[in-house]
Amino acid sequence: MTLSNSSDAVARFWHKYMNSLIKSGVKASAAKYYARHAQAYVAASSGRRIATHSAGDVEAWLAERGRVDGMAAWQFVQAVEAVRHLLVMAAAPAADGVDWAFWREGGRTLAGDHPTIARSSAPAPVLPDRPGASAGPGAGDRLVAVIRQRNYSIRTERAYLGWLQRYLRFIGGGDPARAGGVQVKAFLQALAVEGRVAANTQNQALNALVFFYDQVLEQPLGELGAFARAKRPQRLPVVLSRDEVMRLLAGLQGMHATMGALLYGTGMRLMECVRLRVKDIDFGYGQIVVRDGKGQKDRVVPLPTRLVVPLRVHLDKVRGLHSDDLALGAGAVYLPDALARKYPNAPREWGWQYVFPASRLAADPRDGTVRRHHVHESSLQKAVRAATRAAGIDKPVSCHALRHSFATHMLEGGYDIRTVQELLGHSDVKTTMIYTHVLNRGGLGVVSPLDRA
């Protein structure tokens, strides 16, 4: 399709384009803004027929559009949808070659409280000089300070702080240093009896308060004795068959296909995947180093041979984005403050870039620095849910189900439990033992009498 030089023909085309948008669900008041994005795309194509545009042409324009200063995330998403609708309307082959989901995710940036960057969003409180001093109203600050000294995850910090606050309300806002095991035991029992919380929830509250009394107040609780415990349900993880995994992965497109295959092929957790850095993929040794996993542990997982070529192609594309960012004076990826201070040039080096970057630059919510963060984890979560529905899989599948399936299929393949434990990064083999249910298929391996009849 080529737009005629006739002003009337051009006006008719854009009128038709906006009507098509409205029919597809775009509000009439917004259609004109979509048209402006599409017109900007056409103007940048130097008169070439839209049907001749390649996916690379489209993505290059979107990448440039994503670097426009002052463009809000929702405006960028609008631009992506405007161009997609234009290509579909023109029946351009490029419409099927662009990873639209990846570009739409440019509308999701990392908020200031996102686990990747929240740790250094504010300085840790300073501990009082006197160990074991009365906590008083500063109990939460002291807890946060100790947690950050131990470099625990931001999610652990939030959970422990939340439980401390609930406990302080339970004891009427009193000084926890003057309370003790009796009050803690009463609080945990109330959670189970009155709150009817799950066993894991009660255990997390217990861990938080044990940590607070032991590490912050230096007043260990000791043996709490018997108290009402929440009943722990015996549930098995959601595991997909090999056929279901392949059907699910076949429904993922572009970057999401590579990410989903990595989750299943390596057993990585979702956040471990989205935070992966270029330097941690070792093509020579065929392995991936997972940095700072759960429990602040590094581990090595295999790089699936089938992903070598797709990953190399993907990284070539990412390197092009990084080079363009550097040319604009950007290109500095997020690093924790300590690393950024120790290696001031590292944020712009290729090896430190995210393997799965966001589709557009965005201001860091902490200090306003324009960066290219990693893709938001919700991107893959939504893609996996959509692929699950498309594959006709009735199980409640999440990204973590791919990790469960990896572990289960490894054991089915004859690998020993200790090997699987190391690959998953479990500190206790008991956690890995849950996957041995595959060895007891069909009710502890027995044959149903119906099948013998």
Side-chain angles (χ1 to χ4, degrees), residues 61 87 99 105 115 128 131 133 147 154 232 264 300 333 336 359 362 452:
W61 184 85
L87 295 177
D99 186 357
E105 276 303 310
I147 286 176
I154 188 66
R232 182 184 296 275
Y264 173 65
V300 176
V333 75
S359 59
R452 295 184 183 277

Side-chain angles (χ1 to χ4, degrees), residues 316-364:
D316 284 344
K317 175 180 172 182
V318 173
R319 191 159 201 162
L321 283 175
H322 178 55
S323 298
D324 291 342
D325 291 346
L326 288 174
L328 289 172
V333 75
Y334 165 79
L335 290 183
D337 285 347
L339 278 175
R341 289 194 300 270
K342 186 175 181 179
Y343 306 109
N345 295 323
R348 288 180 171 80
E349 293 176 359
W350 167 238
W352 283 100
Q353 304 306 302
Y354 288 117
V355 173
F356 302 110
S359 59
R360 68 186 293 266
L361 298 174
D364 191 311

Side-chain angles (χ1 to χ4, degrees), residues 163-234:
W163 284 119
L164 176 60
Q165 291 168 343
R166 289 182 64 175
Y167 172 66
L168 292 177
R169 289 195 298 271
F170 180 80
I171 62 174
D175 185 350
R178 299 181 184 276
V182 174
Q183 288 84 350
V184 169
K185 181 177 174 180
F187 173 67
L188 295 172
Q189 186 153 304
L191 288 177
V193 176
E194 300 168 20
R196 298 183 180 180
V197 300
N200 286 342
T201 302
Q202 189 187 43
N203 285 337
Q204 187 185 66
L206 172 61
N207 292 338
L209 295 178
V210 167
F211 179 89
F212 174 71
Y213 274 94
D214 188 18
Q215 302 298 325
V216 179
L217 297 185
E218 298 185 1
Q219 298 175 196
L221 291 172
E223 179 59 48
L224 292 178
F227 59 91
R229 303 300 294 262
K231 186 176 180 181
R232 182 184 296 275
Q234 298 295 318

Side-chain angles (χ1 to χ4, degrees), residues 263 266-274 290 293-294 299 400 403 424-426:
L263 292 184
T266 66
M268 281 193 289
R269 299 177 178 91
L270 173 60
M271 291 305 297
E272 292 170 345
C273 180
V274 298
V290 179
K294 191 172 183 179
R299 70 182 190 279
H400 213 62
R403 175 174 160 89
L424 293 176
H426 288 161

Side-chain angles (χ1 to χ4, degrees), residues 56 60 96 112 144 146 159 181 188 240 243 256 292 323 381 416 419 440:
D96 296 325
V144 169
V146 174
L188 295 172
L240 303 175
D243 176 67
H256 292 142
D292 198 22
S323 298
Q381 290 170 330
D416 65 273
T419 298
N440 299 326

